[in-house]
Amino acid sequence: MMDTPLSVLFYAFATLFIILDPLLSIPIFVGLTEGCRPEEKAQQAWLAVRVAGVILTVFLLFGLTIFDLLGISPASFKVAGGILLLILGMQVALGVEFPHDLKAKQNIAGVLIGTPLLCGPGAITTITLLSTKCGIPITAAALVLCLAVTWLILRYAADILRILGETVTDIMGRVLGMFLAAIAVKLIAEGVTGLAI
């Protein structure tokens, strides 16, 4: 059992950071914002964090109530989120470009990174459970810290990848795309299994 608020905060932060996994989003974010100006990339990083933050805050406060009212189980979220993540993973792994309009591509980057990549069914379920285990105030503080670190990682994603080089970056992106697809399949399988029970 955790003894101090600080240890509970660290536990909640670590759990959220692992489930959001912003490091996984770096090559994908760079790819989706390719051709954007630095200020546009910063805006998309902020949009991604804002999208994830709003969704997670809603489920932090009202997650259990929403699930009960709509009669939706976490398994349903896993299936739906897994399908969306599978599409994104295939896009990254195969190098498929959509949409073709540059402005639409810029706008979609923040949204796709925000959800389902950062804030997927796993994150929604996790924050709902943390709110009951650690309490809403501590979980909210952990969420703010996690989103702040995530914004920094996305904001300087291009710089991080520049150190690795374009070739390594491209390979990482394709490989992580396959990992995304594999994670998506796992989520879908878990969701289907949960729905069948």
Side-chain angles (χ1 to χ4, degrees):
M1 179 177 291
M2 297 169 190
D3 299 324
T4 67
L6 186 60
S7 63
V8 178
L9 176 63
F10 177 78
Y11 169 80
F13 170 81
T15 302
L16 285 173
F17 188 81
I18 290 170
I19 199 70
L20 264 64
D21 195 6
L23 297 177
L24 183 67
S25 304
I26 290 177
I28 300 170
F29 182 80
V30 171
L32 290 173
T33 57
E34 185 178 1
C36 298
R37 296 191 302 271
E39 59 269 23
E40 292 172 334
K41 293 180 180 181
Q43 290 174 358
Q44 290 306 307
W46 171 236
L47 176 59
V49 168
R50 197 167 66 224
V51 168
V54 168
I55 295 173
L56 290 176
T57 298
V58 169
F59 280 89
L60 169 64
L61 299 175
F62 309 110
L64 295 177
T65 303
I66 292 173
F67 283 179
D68 290 340
L69 287 177
L70 297 180
I72 298 174
S73 66
S76 300
F77 274 98
K78 285 187 176 182
V79 173
I83 292 172
L84 292 175
L85 203 58
L86 178 60
I87 294 172
L88 180 59
M90 290 175 64
Q91 176 194 0
V92 175
L94 300 177
V96 178
E97 293 287 339
F98 67 89
H100 297 292
D101 179 67
L102 180 59
K103 181 174 177 58
K105 181 181 177 181
Q106 293 169 359
N107 289 335
I108 205 171
V111 176
L112 281 178
I113 296 296
T115 183
L117 197 53
L118 288 177
C119 180
I124 289 173
T125 302
T126 298
I127 198 142
T128 302
L129 295 176
L130 284 174
S131 68
T132 61
K133 182 175 183 178
C134 303
I136 290 179
I138 289 181
T139 305
L143 176 60
V144 170
L145 290 174
C146 189
L147 291 176
V149 173
T150 298
W151 181 84
L152 287 173
I153 290 173
L154 293 179
R155 173 64 181 84
Y156 297 103
D159 296 324
I160 295 172
L161 289 186
R162 191 175 297 116
I163 297 174
L164 300 177
E166 292 184 7
T167 301
V168 175
T169 297
D170 183 62
I171 293 173
M172 281 182 59
R174 300 299 176 93
V175 171
L176 288 176
M178 290 187 289
F179 276 115
L180 277 178
I183 292 171
V185 171
K186 183 174 184 291
L187 280 174
I188 294 171
E190 290 177 352
V192 170
T193 300
L195 290 172
I197 295 178

